[in-house]
């Protein structure tokens, strides 16, 4: 069987305009797919040069396949379950700077270079005080990028039109701001001069971003069937869900150069990404967290099954649309669309997401993902968000550690587990509710001080413990 490469596949070649730090599954299923779409549909003509950010990686495998790989997108699209695949051809070549550092630096001399994209893990945007300009290469990603930018500054005499647009995808808050800050720190450490710092500040754009797509990665267990379907051997097949979202905070000029809108891609350009980050945390992550104890105690094991169940599915929709969305400051149509997209993602028949895998550290997750919606709802509506408080009661019942006589494998901080173990020894529902709600170490505030909240949660908890989740949730639904 033939192997995938540019001799065996009919693909395009593009001008090298993007340097990309990271060759893992996420970037290939997310950013590279979008670049591929823009090349096909908007004449973006942007080829990618991949740089391996650490000593070990996939660069050799990428080069063996001439940068080509097959992407499968599986999930709900336009209301239907769809699995589709295609060869992504935007990667032109790949470099391991630990073996070919001069080849890496030579990219700085490319007059067509315009964008930097990265995903070097959450730990990748970090400062290493031991990095030096004459290292070949420096160890940290920001130091490698500083060396490249300095070389470009020297090559083109600090020309303003040779600055780059930097779009990091690492999952840290204000990723672009943090990357720029570290680069300026290296500029000082290495005595690169005020003119270079000015060029960094004035002529390079560092965007903050929010990225969202579930990427299961290489489908090892399916490869025999996939290879038979494709008719060629591909060692870099990657799977992703249909949904995608890229929020890019930066000046309007970035949108003008990045033709995602013309391709119908879900890329949002904004001058303030915080509402979108809040939306994701409260709707996507918050819905997951609110669902887990309710669905699991109901007798369901997976997210998809929860949505398919009419009672639990209705609970989750009500929690989203009645309790969470009213707390967010974005247009109603945007919130509705995002919420419906989230529900479609939860229904994805190609992903089996176990509720117990989401249950890790549920107390702290409730605090960061759900509690802000609870408090904001109370503030705005002057009433209680019943579905989110029912979830909180279900969380307390979940930490009792029993589902229909079977032990629940609870995973949380030892102090959390010890707290609930001691509380449930009393078997006094009201006492458990009061002690949990007043635990400021959990919530950062005493929740019993909010009018009616303790009585509401205790009522739900008593119903769950005495009558079971199926009866309790039906009472709430009615």
């Amino acid at each position: 069987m033939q192997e995938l490469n540019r001799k065996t596949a009919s693909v395009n070649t593009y001008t090298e305009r993007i340097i990309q730090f990271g060759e893992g599954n996420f970037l290939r299923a997310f950013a590279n797919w979008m670049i591929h779409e823009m090349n096909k549909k908007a004449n973006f003509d942007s080829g990618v040069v991949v740089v391996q950010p650490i000593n070990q990686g996939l660069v050799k495998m990428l080069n063996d396949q001439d940068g080509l790989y097959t992407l499968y997108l599986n999930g709900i699209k336009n209301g239907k379950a769809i699995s589709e695949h295609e060869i992504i051809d935007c990667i032109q070549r790949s470099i391991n700077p630990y073996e070919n550092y001069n080849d890496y630096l030579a990219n700085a001399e490319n007059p067509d270079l315009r964008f930097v994209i990265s995903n070097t893990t959450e730990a990748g945007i970090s400062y290493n005080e031991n990095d030096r300009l004459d290292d070949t290469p420096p160890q940290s990603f920001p130091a490698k990028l500083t060396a490249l930018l300095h070389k470009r500054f020297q090559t083109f005499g600090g020309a303003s039109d040779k600055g780059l647009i930097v779009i990091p995808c690492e999952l840290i808050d204000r990723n672009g701001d943090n990357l720029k800050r570290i680069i300026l720190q290296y500029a000082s450490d290495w005595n690169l001069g005020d003119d270079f710092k000015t060029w960094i500040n004035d002529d390079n754009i560092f965007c903050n971003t929010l990225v969202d797509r579930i990427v299961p990665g290489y489908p090892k267990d399916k490869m025999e069937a996939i290879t038979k379907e494709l008719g060629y051997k591909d060692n870099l097949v990657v799977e992703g869900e249909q949904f995608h979202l890229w929020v890019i905070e930066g000046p309007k000029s970035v949108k003008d150069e990045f033709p995602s809108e013309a391709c119908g891609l879900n890329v949002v350009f904004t001058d303030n990404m915080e509402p979108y980050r809040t939306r994701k945390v409260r709707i996507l992550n918050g819905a997951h967290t609110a669902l887990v104890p309710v669905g699991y105690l109901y007798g369901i094991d997976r997210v998809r099954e929860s949505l398919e169940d009419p009672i639990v599915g209705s609970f989750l929709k009500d929690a989203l649309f009645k309790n969470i969305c009213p707390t967010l400051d974005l247009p109603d149509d945007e919130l509705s669309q995002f919420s419906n997209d989230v529900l479609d993602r939860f229904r994805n028949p190609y992903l089996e997401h176990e509720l117990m895998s989401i249950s890790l550290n549920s107390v702290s997750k409730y605090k960061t993902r759900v509690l802000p919606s609870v408090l904001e709802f109370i503030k705005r509506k002057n009433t209680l968000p019943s579905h989110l408080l029912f979830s909180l009661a279900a969380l307390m019942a979940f930490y009792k550690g029993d589902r229909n006589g079977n032990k629940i494998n609870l995973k949380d901080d030892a102090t959390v587990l010890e707290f609930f173990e001691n509380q449930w020894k009393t078997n006094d529902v009201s006492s458990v509710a009061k002690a949990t709600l007043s635990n400021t170490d959990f919530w950062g505030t005493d929740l019993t001080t909010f009018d009616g909240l303790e009585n509401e949660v205790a009522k739900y908890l008593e119903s769950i413990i005495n009558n079971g989740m199926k009866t309790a949730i039906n009472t709430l639904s009615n």
Side-chain angles (χ1 to χ4, degrees):
M1 181 174 288
Q2 67 183 14
E3 297 186 355
L4 178 61
N5 54 51
R6 290 182 182 267
K7 293 178 181 178
T8 60
S10 178
V11 294
N12 295 307
T13 300
Y14 301 101
T15 303
E16 293 179 358
R17 301 183 64 235
I18 302 169
I19 189 163
Q20 174 176 303
F21 292 84
E23 76 286 13
N25 291 319
F26 182 79
L27 281 183
R28 289 189 291 115
F30 184 76
N32 294 147
W33 168 73
M34 293 196 202
I35 294 163
H36 177 80
E37 290 291 297
M38 291 188 288
N39 284 339
K40 285 194 307 179
K41 300 174 181 177
N43 297 315
F44 192 38
D45 186 27
S46 291
V48 176
V49 178
V50 166
V51 176
Q52 187 171 291
I54 58 176
N55 199 16
Q56 302 297 320
L58 300 175
V59 154
K60 184 180 185 305
M61 292 177 67
L62 268 173
N63 282 330
D64 287 346
Q65 295 188 179
D66 297 328
L68 304 180
Y69 61 93
T70 309
L71 171 64
Y72 275 78
L73 295 179
N74 306 321
I76 306 294
K77 184 178 181 180
N78 298 324
K80 297 180 180 179
I82 292 178
S83 176
E84 54 191 353
H85 66 270
E86 66 177 322
I87 295 171
I88 306 300
D89 64 2
C90 64
I91 296 176
Q92 306 303 291
R93 60 191 175 96
S94 303
I95 300 171
N96 182 351
Y98 293 85
E99 296 178 356
N100 302 294
Y101 187 62
N102 288 335
D103 289 350
Y104 161 68
L105 278 187
N107 287 284
E109 302 171 357
N110 174 8
D112 296 315
L113 191 64
R114 183 57 176 149
F115 297 94
V116 176
I117 294 173
S118 68
N119 186 26
T120 57
T121 78
E122 291 90 323
I125 298 181
S126 60
Y127 172 73
N128 182 348
E129 63 180 7
N130 297 316
D131 278 329
R132 298 291 180 266
L133 180 61
D134 55 4
D135 290 343
T136 58
Q139 294 303 304
S140 73
F141 155 55
K144 290 184 184 73
L145 181 54
T146 304
L148 183 85
L149 289 169
H150 186 248
K151 176 76 170 178
R152 189 169 183 80
F153 173 78
Q154 291 180 315
T155 299
F156 295 103
S160 60
D161 64 344
K162 291 299 182 283
L164 303 179
I165 298 172
V166 183
I167 311 178
C169 297
E170 287 82 358
L171 295 176
I172 64 170
D173 191 28
R174 314 300 296 174
N175 45 21
D177 290 345
N178 278 286
L179 179 56
K180 180 180 180 180
R181 173 181 55 79
I182 297 171
I183 286 172
L184 290 172
Q185 180 64 55
Y186 283 126
S188 295
D189 293 349
W190 299 346
N191 297 314
L192 301 182
D194 290 339
D195 289 346
F196 175 65
K197 292 181 186 178
T198 299
W199 183 74
I200 290 293
N201 279 315
D202 294 350
D203 300 317
N204 292 265
I205 299 171
F206 290 81
C207 301
N208 294 304
T209 70
L210 174 68
V211 298
D212 192 4
R213 169 171 265 175
I214 296 171
V215 178
Y218 180 73
K220 181 180 179 181
D221 296 339
K222 307 177 192 174
M223 279 311 299
E224 184 176 347
I226 285 175
T227 301
K228 185 177 180 180
E229 177 186 24
L230 295 176
Y232 56 80
K233 184 179 180 181
D234 181 354
N235 294 314
L236 291 166
V237 172
V238 61
E239 285 187 310
E241 67 171 334
Q242 290 283 351
F243 178 86
H244 64 282
L245 170 66
W246 201 351
V247 180
I248 300 176
E249 181 186 278
K252 183 180 180 298
S253 60
V254 177
K255 179 180 180 179
D256 295 339
E257 294 191 51
F258 205 74
S260 55
E261 189 173 320
C263 307
L265 296 172
N266 192 17
V267 180
V268 175
F269 292 92
T270 179
D271 59 2
N272 179 16
M273 65 177 289
E274 289 311 308
Y276 296 95
R277 179 178 293 278
T278 301
R279 181 185 71 174
K280 176 182 181 290
V281 170
R282 292 198 191 174
I283 293 180
L284 174 64
N285 304 121
H288 261 156
T289 298
L291 168 65
V292 166
V294 176
Y296 193 75
L297 293 179
Y298 193 87
I300 295 173
D301 292 325
R302 297 176 180 87
V303 173
R304 176 179 54 80
E305 295 166 354
S306 300
L307 264 292
E308 292 172 350
D309 183 272
I311 301 300
V312 177
S314 178
F315 163 82
L316 185 60
K317 292 172 190 174
D318 285 343
L320 269 176
F321 290 105
K322 294 181 179 180
N323 287 180
I324 297 176
C325 286
T327 71
L328 296 167
D329 294 320
L330 282 169
D332 288 344
D333 58 341
E334 285 190 31
L335 294 174
S336 179
Q337 180 64 55
F338 187 77
S339 297
N340 283 313
D341 285 341
V342 164
L343 294 175
D344 280 346
R345 297 171 77 183
F346 288 1
R347 291 189 192 96
N348 190 344
Y350 302 96
L351 294 175
E352 291 296 353
H353 207 167
E354 301 283 341
L355 291 175
M356 284 303 295
S357 72
I358 308 170
S359 72
L360 176 68
N361 299 329
S362 284
V363 170
S364 62
K365 284 179 178 176
Y366 192 97
K367 175 186 176 182
T368 57
R369 300 174 173 187
V370 184
L371 185 59
S373 295
V374 171
L375 300 181
E376 188 65 22
F377 188 93
I378 294 171
K379 178 181 176 182
R380 295 187 182 199
K381 304 292 186 179
N382 197 30
T383 188
L384 298 171
S386 58
H387 288 72
L388 298 185
L389 294 185
F390 184 86
S391 173
L392 181 54
L395 184 66
M396 297 177 194
F398 179 79
Y399 274 84
K400 189 177 183 183
D402 178 85
R403 181 172 79 161
N404 300 325
N406 296 311
K407 183 178 180 180
I408 300 174
N409 184 24
L410 300 170
K411 293 183 179 180
D412 209 317
D413 186 83
T415 58
V416 173
L417 297 178
E418 183 179 354
F419 170 86
F420 280 109
E421 182 180 5
N422 290 332
Q423 290 303 317
W424 279 115
K425 284 178 181 178
T426 67
N427 274 324
D428 184 335
V429 171
S430 296
S431 174
V432 172
K434 185 177 185 64
T436 305
L437 294 171
S438 62
N439 190 330
T440 56
D441 290 336
F442 283 0
W443 319 118
T445 188
D446 183 349
L447 296 179
T448 65
T449 61
F450 292 86
D451 288 345
L453 191 150
E454 181 183 346
N455 289 338
E456 185 98 343
V457 171
K459 177 185 70 175
Y460 293 144
L461 182 58
E462 183 174 2
S463 181
I464 294 168
I465 295 298
N466 294 337
N467 305 317
M469 179 58 73
K470 291 187 176 181
T471 298
I473 195 173
N474 272 308
T475 301
L476 175 69
S477 300
N478 293 334

